[in-house]
Amino acid sequence: FYARWHPHGTPVPAAPALMLDILPTGNPGEVKVFFRGQPVPGARLTVGFPDETERELTTDDSGVAKFPVEQKGLYLVTYPHHRESVPGFAGGRAYD
């Protein structure tokens, strides 16, 4: 897990820096989701608004999601539903 603090008015990162990254696009209320450096279409995000309400969003074909920015305060965008289907090892045992 990680968190990206991005204050309004600061330069937008040029490229994703982490395996799973959510970057602001530079437009208010707009983010782009990346996994392994590639945009993630159809990602189901959750946005927490300053009034403590939440809304679920889905990214478009280019990995972009938009939400209204009508309140002053902090907005929290999370991506809690991602799964990657690759084989690996855990505890010395292989899994699919």
Side-chain angles (χ1 to χ4, degrees):
F1 297 100
Y2 81 99
R4 177 184 292 283
W5 171 256
H6 193 83
H8 177 71
T10 59
V12 175
L18 302 169
M19 187 173 298
L20 173 64
D21 216 346
I22 303 171
L23 298 178
T25 64
N27 299 320
E30 191 174 278
V31 295
K32 189 166 187 174
V33 179
F34 293 89
F35 183 69
R36 297 187 182 269
Q38 300 300 312
V40 182
R44 291 182 6 215
L45 307 176
T46 301
V47 179
F49 292 90
D51 65 0
E52 298 183 11
T53 61
E54 290 185 345
R55 182 181 300 172
E56 192 168 281
L57 306 171
T58 302
T59 59
D60 63 16
D61 290 341
S62 62
V64 174
K66 299 176 185 178
F67 55 93
V69 180
E70 300 167 343
Q71 305 166 36
K72 289 186 178 184
L74 300 176
Y75 291 76
L76 177 66
V77 180
T78 60
Y79 182 22
H81 304 290
H82 185 76
R83 299 276 189 264
E84 182 181 26
S85 298
V86 295
F89 287 89
R93 300 179 75 185
Y95 63 86
D96 290 332

